[in-house]
Each structure stands twice: as C-alpha cells, then as structure tokens.
Amino acid sequence: MNQKASSVQSTPGLFRNHLSWAGAALFIFGLGSTIFLALIDVWGKRPNPYIGIFAYVVFPAILLLGLLLIPIGMLWERRRRRTLAPSAILPYPRIDFNNPHHRRLIAFTLGLSLFLIPLSAVGSYRAYELTESVGFCGQACHTVMGPEFTAFKVSPHARVACVECHVGPGAASYFQAKLSGVRRAYAAIRESYHRPIPSPAFDLRPAQETCEQCHWPEKFFGTLLRTFTHYGYDEENTPRQLDLLIKVGGGSPATGLTAGIHWHMNISNEILYVSTDEKHQVIPWVRLKDGKGQVTEFIARDSTLTADQLANAPRRRMDCMDCHNRSAHTFNPPDRVVNEALLAGKLDATLPYIKQQGVELLSASYASTDEGLKKIGTALDAFYRDKYPALYPAKQNEIRAAVAELQRLYRSNYFPEMKVNWESYPENIGHYYSSGCFRCHDGQHVSSDGKVIRKDCVICHTVLGQQEGKAKIMGGNGTDFKHPVDLGEMTEATCTDCHTGKGISQ
C-alpha cells in the first residue's frame, strides 16, 4: 500500500500535457490583456468602442477558453495514463491537507477565485454597458452603420441612446437584440449586408413605448411659427422667404383641444392604413375611427387593389413614426443643405451661382467618398476660375471656404460606399422633397359617401407672408400659399413634381 501511494505521489502531475499548457498560456494572455485594456478604457480621455470590445468581450473569452482547456487537458491526460497503466492512477483525485503541495495548490486556487470573481462581475457589467452604448452601436461596424451614426450625431435625438428605440428594457429584449446582432456581425464580416440598410426597421419598438415617454400626446397644442428661406438658382442666389404658422394642434379630448396636425395622433382617434410598399410611401386605403366611434374608410381613386386584397392586406395604426420616420437619422437633399449653409453664412451668397453649383456638385454621382470630395473641390474652383476670371483672384478665400463647406455637407449626408443619400430614405415630415403628407392628403382618397381627404394648404398652415429678395409677394391675410413662379395650369401639382431635392425640374 505504501509502495502504491509512493509511486502515485512520484508520478508527474496531470497538468503536464500540451493542452493544459496551451490553456494556461491563453489564460495568462487573456488576463493580462484584459487588465491592460480595462485600465486604458477607465483612464482614457475618449471612450473607444474597439478597446471596450477587446477588453470586455474578446480577451475575457480567451481567458475563459484557457481556463476551460486546463481541466480538459488534465482529464485527457488522466484517461491516457489509465489506458497505459491502470494501476498508476487513482480512481479519483485525493486531496490531502497534510500534504504541503496540496495546501499550496488549494490556497492558489482560492486566491485566484477571489481575484477572478469580482473581476468577472465588473467585466460582465462593463461588457453589458458597452454593448448598450451609442459608440458600440454606431462605431463597431463603422462602414455599415456609418451613415446612420453620422446623421444621428446631428439629430434632435443625439442624446437619446440607440437602445432606447432599437432594443427596449428587460433581459429578453437584450438577448434578442444581441442574437440578431450576431447575425448582422456575420453579414458584416462576409460583406453580405444590404446597401443601403433597409428601412423602416420593422422590429422597432412602438412609438407608445419610445416617443411618447417624452413627447406626451395630450400636451400637444397650439401653433408653431416657422420661417423658411430658399435661395434661387439665378446668378444672384436670390433669397425667397416664407413665414408660416404651422397648426401643430393635438391636446386632450377632456379639454376639447383636439385639432391641428397632431389631431392624427390624438388618443381619441384611430387611423389605420394599408401600404403597398415597404417604405409606406404608397397608401391606397385609410380608415378613420373618431372619438365618437364613427368609422370612415377612404380609398384612393387610382387604387388597383380588389376588395379581397384590401381586406387581407396588413394594416398599420398610424403613430408618431409614420410622419417622424427620420427623426434620428435624416439625410438631407442638396437643395436643403445648401439653403441652410447660405442662411448661416457658411456659403457666401455673393458668389455667383453658388446655390446652383453647390446643389449640382452635391447631386452628382461619385464612386466613393474620396472621389466626391476631390471632384467637388476641383470642379467648384474651376467654375469660378473659368467663368469669372476677373472675380476669381478677389474671391479666393470665399471660394476655398465654399469648397470646405460643400465637402463637409457631402461627408455628412452622402455615403456612396453604402449607396446612401436623401433618396434612399424618404422623409415624411412635410411634403416639399418627398410625398410625406400627400401620401394621404392628395385629394384622391374618397369615402363611399363622397368625403375626401383634402390637400388644402390652410388645413395645416396659415401663411403670414412671402417675400422674394426685397419685394413682398403677399402677407398678413392668412390666404393660401402663392407660388413665386406662375404655374399656369398646374393647379393640382404637388411640391415634389418640381422640387426633387437636387434642383428644380423644368
């Protein structure tokens, strides 16, 4: 018996095998790398999602893999030895506290556990916090999500975390989102993702759980004063100004303040609709149930859907996102961004045709962002050098500033690598560059008793005044909008028939 115990004790430890050694090496590498990057993440001045990914996801996974390989290697070595010499290995490991080697091993294991358990807890929380952060959502897959993240940073919701709308509370929502994220990460690695990213996001949380947590529908009321300034495509970049009162409305049925645009979202009204496209731009059928329970159905005159098709089509209840569909990720058309740059003084309005040239250059098709930035700079400089040689030397600073501003606008709104621009995602607020309100308010949706969803300007607006250059076109009487250009017989035209976002179609 003593001889057997002596031979067992003198046998090399089960740890001495290549698999356990590899596990120990991975464990040491993962532990050291995790601690090093965690310290960088904590003490760094600027949070970096890539450091967080490696510190709290990648290297901890390597650490755990190493820990797992150590016992697997020992079991494999034990089985190998039992096959070679069954009597050389005891049936089960025996711990003897009288053995100094065993005591040191147990003390080391307990000490390592006391160190790893709190480290694991902190790391797990930081990993959760990282994967819920805006930086992780927008920068981890920088090519895929680059357009959305760029637009998000300048949106009115830039301080609202992505997960507030895209994930939701609770463990179930978190794990569902991360499982979907694994599939998307795989697509990103294989570069098999859609260009552009499909929209709308059908798994987006309902507006009642997101928008309405801050924007209380019952508290909407009154009107909003807005001034719109547009610049002409003529040599002088002539400004045109429109002053409007926008009838925001809304309110609570308890107080009787139920009018205006937010009447659509009033809790006493229910609007259902059917769309025939994924982006909800073509709406042939609308159903209104008002606060009194009266139901009215409207069908577009040009609808080709049969009664059975309409009855079986999926119906969506109108909510905030049906109009505010790009509230956090807006890609603006060239006409709008150049107008805003001129109004802010970032483009010099005394540069001849700067509105025309700016819109034309931003609207052009480029193979890559770098190509677009280069061609915008060379083309604008060449235009003034060739067309205005007398003006060119005196306006060097203004031309360089215009080039820099147009390049900034291009980087912020146009992403050829992802095939993203303002046309990729129509915005439904208003009706100037996309159908928006006119999807339903087109004068073509009629009920069985002859009611029509009107498209009269005065339903939502009160025109206070219009001005072109220094000449006042009209003002102060609240009448219909008067177009600054005579439209002739185009009395039923909508804004998008001419205003394409990249110029005015003739």
Side-chain angles (χ1 to χ4, degrees), residues 61-244:
I62 294 175
L63 182 153
L64 292 175
L65 176 62
L67 280 177
L68 184 64
L69 288 178
I70 291 173
I72 291 175
M74 295 175 69
L75 289 173
W76 175 80
E77 178 66 11
R78 184 174 184 275
R79 177 174 295 182
R80 187 186 69 83
R81 292 184 187 182
R82 282 185 64 85
T83 303
L84 296 176
S87 62
I89 301 293
L90 293 173
Y92 294 99
R94 184 171 61 186
I95 299 175
D96 184 1
F97 284 95
N98 294 313
N99 187 327
H101 175 69
H102 287 188
R103 290 199 303 271
R104 287 194 298 269
L105 183 61
I106 292 172
F108 173 76
T109 303
L110 289 175
L112 184 63
S113 300
L114 291 174
F115 174 73
L116 289 180
I117 289 174
L119 181 66
S120 174
V122 173
S124 299
Y125 175 76
R126 288 291 293 147
Y128 167 79
E129 193 177 51
L130 168 72
T131 55
E132 294 280 275
S133 68
V134 171
F136 179 83
C137 296
Q139 293 175 281
C141 298
H142 58 91
T143 300
V144 183
M145 298 308 298
E148 282 73 16
F149 185 56
T150 301
F152 165 79
K153 288 188 294 184
V154 296
S155 76
H157 293 87
R159 293 188 177 182
V160 179
C162 307
V163 295
E164 293 292 328
C165 296
H166 291 277
V167 177
S173 297
Y174 177 82
F175 283 111
Q176 182 180 359
K178 299 316 161 190
L179 287 174
S180 299
V182 171
R183 174 175 53 83
R184 291 164 184 163
Y186 178 68
I189 293 171
R190 295 184 59 218
E191 296 190 357
S192 59
Y193 47 84
H194 292 278
R195 296 174 177 85
I197 298 298
S199 177
F202 293 102
D203 56 351
L204 201 65
R205 296 174 63 201
Q208 289 76 15
E209 298 178 11
T210 53
C211 312
E212 294 186 15
Q213 297 305 302
C214 296
H215 306 282
W216 194 355
E218 291 190 23
K219 300 302 180 182
F220 293 137
F221 62 90
T223 57
L224 177 67
L225 175 62
R226 289 290 305 274
T227 297
F228 297 92
T229 302
H230 302 272
Y231 290 81
Y233 287 83
D234 56 338
E235 187 175 28
E236 292 77 23
N237 311 300
T238 304
R240 298 187 180 109
Q241 182 173 299
L242 173 65
D243 298 321
L244 282 180

Side-chain angles (χ1 to χ4, degrees), residues 383-409:
F383 172 79
Y384 288 108
R385 184 182 65 246
D386 298 340
K387 300 294 185 180
Y388 295 91
L391 181 70
Y392 182 74
K395 289 287 187 178
Q396 281 290 296
N397 291 336
E398 289 80 0
I399 294 171
R400 280 194 292 267
V403 167
E405 177 62 11
L406 291 177
Q407 290 174 334
R408 184 191 69 81
L409 295 174

Side-chain angles (χ1 to χ4, degrees), residues 224-435:
L224 177 67
L225 175 62
R226 289 290 305 274
T227 297
F228 297 92
T229 302
H230 302 272
Y231 290 81
Y233 287 83
D234 56 338
E235 187 175 28
E236 292 77 23
N237 311 300
T238 304
R240 298 187 180 109
Q241 182 173 299
L242 173 65
D243 298 321
L244 282 180
L245 283 177
I246 301 178
K247 302 173 184 177
V248 177
S252 169
T255 61
L257 299 174
T258 55
I261 298 170
H262 282 122
W263 169 91
H264 297 82
M265 284 303 302
N266 190 276
I267 57 176
S268 64
N269 300 317
E270 179 185 84
I271 297 178
L272 303 178
Y273 70 86
V274 168
S275 62
T276 56
D277 67 317
E278 290 187 349
K279 294 186 177 181
H280 302 163
Q281 297 302 298
V282 181
I283 300 177
W285 179 89
V286 179
R287 176 183 181 271
L288 165 65
K289 181 179 179 181
D290 62 22
K292 298 179 180 179
Q294 184 176 351
V295 175
T296 308
E297 294 185 3
F298 300 87
I299 300 178
R301 290 192 175 102
D302 59 355
S303 173
T304 59
L305 297 180
T306 65
D308 289 340
Q309 288 175 322
L310 282 175
N312 295 322
R315 301 180 180 185
R316 172 179 168 84
R317 179 170 181 176
M318 186 177 182
D319 65 16
C320 310
M321 297 304 296
D322 287 296
C323 294
H324 299 271
N325 64 318
R326 304 303 304 176
S327 57
H329 305 286
T330 302
F331 301 99
N332 293 301
D335 185 74
R336 176 184 292 168
V337 295
V338 174
N339 278 333
E340 292 174 350
L342 283 165
L343 183 62
K346 295 180 179 180
L347 291 176
D348 187 355
T350 65
L351 285 174
Y353 289 111
I354 186 60
K355 168 69 181 291
Q356 179 198 77
Q357 289 299 304
V359 171
E360 182 178 318
L361 291 172
L362 292 175
S363 302
S365 178
Y366 304 108
S368 67
T369 299
D370 290 340
E371 179 186 317
L373 297 175
K374 182 178 179 180
K375 288 189 175 181
I376 286 171
T378 56
L380 188 67
D381 186 80
F383 172 79
Y384 288 108
R385 184 182 65 246
D386 298 340
K387 300 294 185 180
Y388 295 91
L391 181 70
Y392 182 74
K395 289 287 187 178
Q396 281 290 296
N397 291 336
E398 289 80 0
I399 294 171
R400 280 194 292 267
V403 167
E405 177 62 11
L406 291 177
Q407 290 174 334
R408 184 191 69 81
L409 295 174
Y410 186 79
R411 284 192 300 268
S412 301
N413 293 281
Y414 316 108
F415 305 85
E417 290 82 2
M418 285 298 296
K419 299 181 180 179
V420 169
N421 61 22
W422 80 100
E423 294 174 303
S424 308
Y425 305 111
E427 185 182 14
N428 294 329
I429 282 292
H431 46 73
Y432 196 72
Y433 300 109
S434 58
S435 298

Side-chain angles (χ1 to χ4, degrees), residues 33-53 55-56 119 122-123 125-127 129-130:
S33 300
T34 298
I35 294 174
F36 175 71
L37 290 181
L39 292 175
I40 292 178
D41 182 54
V42 171
W43 289 337
K45 294 182 179 179
R46 294 184 180 180
N48 187 312
Y50 296 105
I51 291 179
I53 290 171
Y56 305 115
L119 181 66
V122 173
Y125 175 76
R126 288 291 293 147
E129 193 177 51
L130 168 72

